[in-house]
Amino acid sequence: MSESLPALSAALAQHLEGRCGIARVWEAACVHLSERLNCTRVSVWLYNGARDALDELALLDARTQRFSSGMRLTVGDFPEYFDALGASDVIDAPDARTHPATVCFGDAYFLPADIHSLLDRLVFDAGEAVAVICCEHCGAPRTWSEQDHETLASVAHELGQAFTLARAIYCAEDDRASDLIRARARPAA
């Protein structure tokens, strides 16, 4: 695990040891990015199986220090955004309200939360995009620095490892369950 991400690494280790839920990992990533990038809102979104929607796993609003989750973004509602994610690992929108990939969020998402700038990055598991980390700045536009990009890339890599490890654990558990079912289905000798 990366030494530059101790809280995220600790949350992942605790999850793997069964001492906390996976939601704690997403929350640790949001806190880390909010502090390091000095941005107002940070969220983690998971692609659904058909990859035509993103489900919000965790959103931290630094103004209130509260987490929320449950919002869904669909390709039907935000096609430009999904197209941009399909074309690039990163969306850097210093003026998100006019950026071609994010202008679609205007009235529905940006205006109510006073979001002006956005920096999003895909999270990969075994070479496949499985999630998106979204960093948002409220109140006024801002330019994202190279350091912001590097920090976000590091967290995206760490979350990718979390997905890979979680998948490996769940696959191993499924294999053990399948072996048990097959063993019980064998006729007694």
Side-chain angles (χ1 to χ4, degrees):
M1 303 281 158
S2 171
E3 291 180 29
S4 66
L5 306 171
L8 179 56
S9 296
L12 180 55
Q14 289 171 357
H15 171 67
L16 294 173
E17 293 167 0
R19 295 188 290 140
C20 76
I22 193 70
R24 179 67 192 108
V25 176
W26 316 142
E27 291 173 359
C30 291
V31 169
H32 177 80
L33 286 167
S34 176
E35 291 172 353
R36 294 289 161 88
L37 274 59
N38 193 28
C39 56
T40 317
R41 295 162 42 108
V42 180
S43 52
V44 178
W45 301 77
L46 180 68
Y47 274 109
N48 69 343
R51 297 184 47 78
D52 61 1
L54 286 165
D55 294 312
E56 182 185 61
L57 299 176
L59 179 145
L60 170 65
D61 190 320
R63 297 169 292 195
T64 63
Q65 290 299 304
R66 293 215 168 124
F67 285 96
S68 62
S69 63
M71 182 182 265
R72 175 172 262 217
L73 305 176
T74 65
V75 70
D77 291 332
F78 307 104
E80 299 87 351
Y81 179 73
F82 280 83
D83 287 346
L85 287 174
S88 177
D89 296 355
V90 178
I91 297 175
D92 183 343
D95 185 353
R97 295 177 183 194
T98 62
H99 191 280
T102 58
V103 69
C104 56
F105 290 116
D107 292 340
Y109 188 74
F110 290 155
L111 290 179
D114 194 27
I115 298 166
H116 288 266
S117 300
L118 176 138
L119 178 62
D120 286 6
R121 185 169 188 96
L122 291 173
V123 175
F124 291 89
D125 170 22
E128 180 182 353
V130 294
V132 177
I133 305 173
C134 181
C135 300
E136 301 164 342
H137 190 73
C138 299
R142 78 174 270 188
T143 300
W144 303 97
S145 70
E146 187 59 36
Q147 182 62 44
D148 293 336
H149 280 265
E150 290 172 8
T151 301
L152 182 57
S154 180
V155 171
H157 176 74
E158 193 86 359
L159 286 183
Q161 289 181 325
F163 278 106
T164 301
L165 290 169
R167 183 174 42 81
I169 289 168
Y170 297 131
C171 287
E173 288 173 357
D174 285 348
D175 288 346
R176 283 193 295 271
S178 296
D179 290 346
L180 182 59
I181 290 168
R182 281 193 292 277
R184 289 185 178 168
R186 289 187 194 126

